[in-house]
Amino acid sequence: MTGPTDLPTLPDARFAGLLAEAKALQDQTVELRRKLHRHPEQGLDLPLSQAAIVAALDGLPLEIQLGKASTSVTAVLSGGKPGRSILLRGDMDALPLQEDTGLEFASELDGTMHACGHDTHVAMLASAAKLLSAHVEELSGSIVFMFQPGEEGYHGARHMIHEGVLDAAGSRVERAFGLHIYNEARSGVVRTRPGPIMASADSFAIWVTGKGGHGSAPHQAIDPVPAAAEMVGALQTMITRRVSVFEPAVVTVTRIAAGTTTNIIPERAELEGTIRTMSEKTRALVRAEIPKLCEAIGTAHGCRVAVEITPGYPVTVNNDEVAEHVLSLAGEVLGVRNAEEMADPVMGAEDFSYVLQRVPGAFAFLGGRPADVDPADAAPNHSNRVVFDEDAMASGVAMYAAFALDALR
């Protein structure tokens, strides 16, 4: 006699109860997430978020350290037996955005919103700390819980590294794991890949200076606008002619400004934009080519050109072995249908890259798209209308816990 063949694979025996333990904490996970969502904070100074995290961890057998350069929280759980240490990370800052979700727990602060899911990351990591505290005697080693502010462009991970988060347990962490919720996958799916998973992100500003004049007599002026316009197209051509087609690279001009009215040729035009690459080699090439290209175009138009490139986050590179192991763990904990290897990296950037430059580890995505939302209609991260399925958080809690239990048993 045979049974149905379309049933999802059951979790592996060694993690059979882990998802149930995570679900048992769901009310607390949701409560903390919604508290943070109502009171979002931006940047490196997040006192309300820090206080909420400390309160959520109260009573657990953790050694807690508060940041000095930022309102970070580092919590260390020391196992019942000696061994190596590992790190689990959740970021905690919000975005400068006016929320339009209509949620009952929507942001109460005008112009600030948890539009990237960092509130869910904190809530999942706090519940993972609770779950793992109940297993402390089973652990051979220590867990560093890294609650990090300032991911959205403020280099918060680097601040925490400088303050010693990687050595918070008394020795350098040997493995690191981070999760990020997003709506590109159905709720509860874990996705990752070996190697590069997210791009580097640098920004550029270009100032083109000519000679102002009357709009009716351009021959008496040196118009910076045509030069700036030519640069926009030339930057795209540069990518296709100077960068290998097998090396992903994006240069996007996102802002152009010049002039004040219809009959004045301005003295200056300004361009700003972003650079995204998937390798440090390509990153260096693009950063070197942009000034050369724009200065040459400016010279052809008789304009002076100044280019400033502001370094952002490096490429986020997963350790091959750890990434493959995370996928294996996801299959064991959540069932194989909820573990997916990504075919391509994401061109967004992430400052967990600073951790992965120093520690073998992996970054993964957690699907959070609500079941009743068509993929084509799902609002993406950084949208003022993004909504995540809170049930996905139990899967994230279980994954954090599984990574730690597997590494320290």
Side-chain angles (χ1 to χ4, degrees):
M1 182 176 180
T2 60
T5 59
D6 59 345
L7 295 177
T9 302
L10 295 175
D12 185 89
R14 68 179 177 142
F15 294 122
L18 203 57
L19 185 57
E21 289 184 60
K23 289 181 177 179
L25 293 168
Q26 180 70 355
D27 287 349
Q28 297 173 57
T29 309
V30 169
E31 181 183 5
L32 178 57
R33 184 265 166 138
R34 293 187 177 186
K35 182 177 183 178
L36 294 167
H37 196 90
R38 286 191 180 97
H39 305 286
E41 297 172 296
Q42 299 177 44
L44 294 167
D45 187 23
L46 287 63
L48 297 177
S49 303
Q50 184 187 57
I53 292 166
V54 172
L57 301 179
D58 185 46
L60 300 179
L62 302 168
E63 178 188 340
I64 294 178
Q65 304 167 26
L66 303 183
K68 297 177 181 178
S70 71
T71 52
S72 64
V73 179
T74 300
V76 178
L77 178 65
S78 299
K81 298 177 282 291
R84 63 180 180 174
S85 59
I86 61 103
L87 180 145
L88 305 175
R89 180 269 208 160
D91 43 0
M92 53 198 275
D93 55 325
L95 285 159
L97 203 63
Q98 183 65 38
E99 181 163 356
D100 291 306
T101 61
L103 293 170
E104 61 179 275
F105 54 90
S107 171
E108 297 177 6
L109 181 63
D110 286 345
T112 303
M113 175 191 175
H114 268 295
C116 201
H118 295 186
D119 51 340
T120 71
H121 302 168
V122 169
M124 289 187 290
L125 190 58
S127 286
K130 295 173 184 177
L131 193 161
L132 288 163
S133 292
H135 292 267
V136 65
E137 294 304 321
E138 304 169 31
L139 302 174
S140 298
S142 301
I143 304 167
V144 177
F145 298 93
M146 179 182 179
F147 294 92
Q148 179 215 308
E151 191 281 325
E152 296 290 354
Y154 293 87
H155 303 267
R158 194 165 64 180
H159 284 285
M160 292 190 72
I161 290 169
H162 287 169
E163 290 190 346
V165 68
L166 300 182
D167 301 297
S171 61
R172 177 58 58 100
V173 296
E174 297 182 26
R175 290 288 184 272
F177 178 51
L179 273 175
H180 202 304
I181 198 166
Y182 76 155
N183 274 347
E184 291 186 30
R186 59 181 170 79
S187 181
V189 171
V190 171
R191 288 178 171 174
T192 191
R193 69 190 306 272
I197 187 170
M198 296 188 75
S200 64
D202 301 316
S203 60
F204 63 85
I206 303 166
W207 295 273
V208 185
T209 303
K211 177 183 175 183
H214 200 288
S216 66
H219 63 288
Q220 296 176 350
I222 300 175
D223 193 346
V225 173
E230 187 173 328
M231 290 174 193
V232 175
L235 287 169
Q236 304 309 310
T237 303
M238 180 267 290
I239 289 294
T240 64
R241 294 298 180 268
R242 297 290 292 126
V243 179
S244 168
V245 295
F246 301 107
E247 284 284 332
V250 172
V251 173
T252 300
V253 177
T254 56
R255 176 180 171 271
I256 303 177
T260 56
T261 190
T262 58
N263 63 348
I264 297 175
I265 292 174
E267 183 176 76
R268 172 179 284 192
E270 302 174 7
L271 297 87
E272 291 182 326
T274 187
I275 306 165
R276 306 294 171 117
T277 67
M278 277 295 164
S279 75
E280 291 302 319
K281 178 181 177 181
T282 301
R283 184 186 189 193
L285 171 65
V286 173
R287 286 167 55 168
E289 288 296 319
I290 288 177
K292 290 193 293 184
L293 175 72
C294 294
E295 288 165 7
I297 292 172
T299 298
H301 284 262
C303 295
R304 301 189 309 277
V305 174
V307 178
E308 180 179 287
I309 296 177
T310 303
Y313 298 158
V315 183
T316 303
V317 182
N318 282 343
N319 176 274
D320 290 358
E321 179 184 347
V322 180
E324 290 167 358
H325 192 58
V326 166
L327 285 172
S328 176
L329 285 174
E332 293 181 55
V333 176
L334 309 175
V336 293
R337 68 185 296 268
N338 290 319
E340 298 179 359
E341 181 168 346
M342 298 166 62
D344 301 304
V346 173
M347 295 307 286
E350 171 52 71
D351 77 345
F352 193 59
S353 54
Y354 292 124
V355 175
L356 295 181
Q357 283 182 331
R358 295 161 173 81
V359 180
F363 192 69
F365 290 97
L366 173 67
R369 187 175 66 242
D372 60 348
V373 175
D374 187 285
D377 299 328
N381 289 37
H382 288 221
S383 165
N384 58 322
R385 302 183 188 278
V386 67
V387 174
F388 299 110
D389 178 18
E390 291 180 321
D391 287 344
M393 293 193 293
S395 296
V397 173
M399 282 301 301
Y400 277 131
F403 186 88
L405 289 168
D406 177 76
L408 302 182
R409 276 179 172 171

